Amino acid sequence: MLRAAKDEALLAVHAYDDPRQPRWLEAAYVHLHLAWHYLLLAKLKRDGIDVRYRTPEGRIERVDGAPREWDLARCIEEEWPADHPVRRNLELSLALRQRIEHRTAGLESIAERTAGYLQAMLVNFEALILDAFGAGESIGDQLRFPVFVGAITAGRAEDRERKRRRVPAPVEQLLADAEADLPEAVVRDQRYELRIRLTPQLGPRSATDAAVSYVREEDLTPEQREALATLGRTGTVIAHQE
């Protein structure tokens, strides 16, 4: 079941990153939700939790003779308290999936608006695998930073603003409703929505430099944190020169 979870997560990334995939956004959500479902079932079963639905009389519910096991929503409720950022992220993603399934128009705009939630869902998946099953089960070494041009070419800011204006009203309302009662700490938590900022690294290059480096806020000096605060919310990626 854990192996199936990892396979589904990789399929989600492949679908999202493939420009030829006609139903890429819907496929990404479907596969990532399957990944989370299998992962949580694997963890709960490993921990000895009975994940079978039961009738009010205590009998095991069955479908075609097989025990009916918890769906993803029920697994989420078991794993985290109501206002946990990971739980809120997953619950929002389930609602978003219902909005985009079978939709053919406006997907690019929706993807632009909700990318941070989807990215957080994938990062949270990897974090739970590491915490529950160890580094040997990581999928990190199978994923790479994507090669892209859209976000760094001229006119991208204007294009992004046009897409933002085209986000369907029901999706914007869904996001507004989801965050209306959330504590500010959850809204700002990168496990709920991961927001990043990429800046070119200037100056001489050393042999140890990577094309992309991730700097965690907790690893910064007070002066660096103060500079970062002017750029936006937490979870920012900054290129830096030692």
Side-chain angles (χ1 to χ4, degrees):
M1 190 167 286
L2 177 59
R3 188 163 52 247
K6 292 158 63 175
D7 288 343
E8 290 293 338
L10 295 175
L11 281 171
V13 175
H14 175 74
Y16 192 87
D17 288 343
D18 187 353
R20 301 165 298 178
Q21 169 66 250
R23 306 292 304 168
W24 58 279
L25 187 58
E26 179 180 342
Y29 274 100
V30 169
H31 286 300
L32 204 45
H33 284 152
L34 284 171
W36 267 105
H37 192 195
Y38 293 150
L39 175 60
L40 289 173
L41 284 176
K43 180 179 182 295
L44 291 168
K45 288 183 176 183
R46 191 277 310 273
D47 294 342
I49 305 298
D50 184 359
V51 296
R52 298 171 297 182
Y53 279 109
R54 294 180 179 272
T55 67
E57 295 76 29
R59 293 192 298 270
I60 296 173
E61 295 185 17
R62 296 182 179 273
V63 178
D64 296 329
R68 178 181 169 230
E69 295 186 332
W70 292 351
D71 58 15
L72 176 55
R74 179 65 185 84
C75 292
I76 292 170
E77 292 175 357
E78 180 70 20
E79 186 67 19
W80 297 284
D83 276 341
H84 193 282
V86 176
R87 172 171 171 173
R88 285 290 197 155
N89 170 270
L90 283 167
E91 290 174 339
L92 176 59
S93 74
L94 287 170
L96 282 169
R97 175 179 164 185
Q98 293 179 350
R99 294 289 185 182
I100 65 176
E101 280 185 326
H102 315 301
R103 174 181 287 274
T104 58
L107 291 181
E108 288 284 353
S109 297
I110 295 173
E112 183 81 30
R113 177 69 175 85
T114 62
Y117 304 108
L118 189 64
Q119 182 67 65
M121 185 165 43
L122 178 64
V123 173
N124 295 340
F125 177 86
E126 170 76 351
L128 184 59
I129 280 187
L130 296 178
D131 181 64
F133 295 99
E137 299 295 345
S138 169
I139 62 172
D141 60 347
Q142 301 178 62
L143 299 176
R144 293 167 295 278
F145 194 83
V147 177
F148 64 98
V149 296
I152 58 176
T153 50
R156 178 57 173 161
E158 292 80 1
D159 179 60
R160 185 164 53 246
E161 182 57 30
R162 283 194 297 270
K163 287 181 179 178
R164 177 62 181 265
R165 292 195 297 267
R166 294 172 184 167
V167 176
V171 173
E172 286 286 9
Q173 189 61 52
L174 171 66
L175 297 174
D177 291 344
E179 296 183 358
D181 62 339
L182 276 185
E184 180 63 20
V186 175
V187 175
R188 294 177 58 87
D189 196 304
Q190 65 180 3
R191 292 171 295 176
Y192 174 70
E193 182 187 13
L194 181 63
R195 309 184 78 183
I196 64 176
R197 183 186 303 271
L198 296 175
T199 60
Q201 180 169 325
L202 305 177
R205 180 184 184 278
S206 71
T208 59
D209 282 347
V212 177
S213 59
Y214 184 76
V215 181
R216 298 185 180 277
E217 185 182 13
E218 57 265 30
D219 297 333
L220 299 178
T221 66
E223 294 77 14
Q224 290 171 329
R225 290 191 187 190
E226 184 177 353
L228 180 61
T230 66
L231 296 176
R233 294 164 60 174
T234 59
T236 299
V237 171
I238 60 174
H240 69 292
Q241 182 71 34
E242 295 291 350

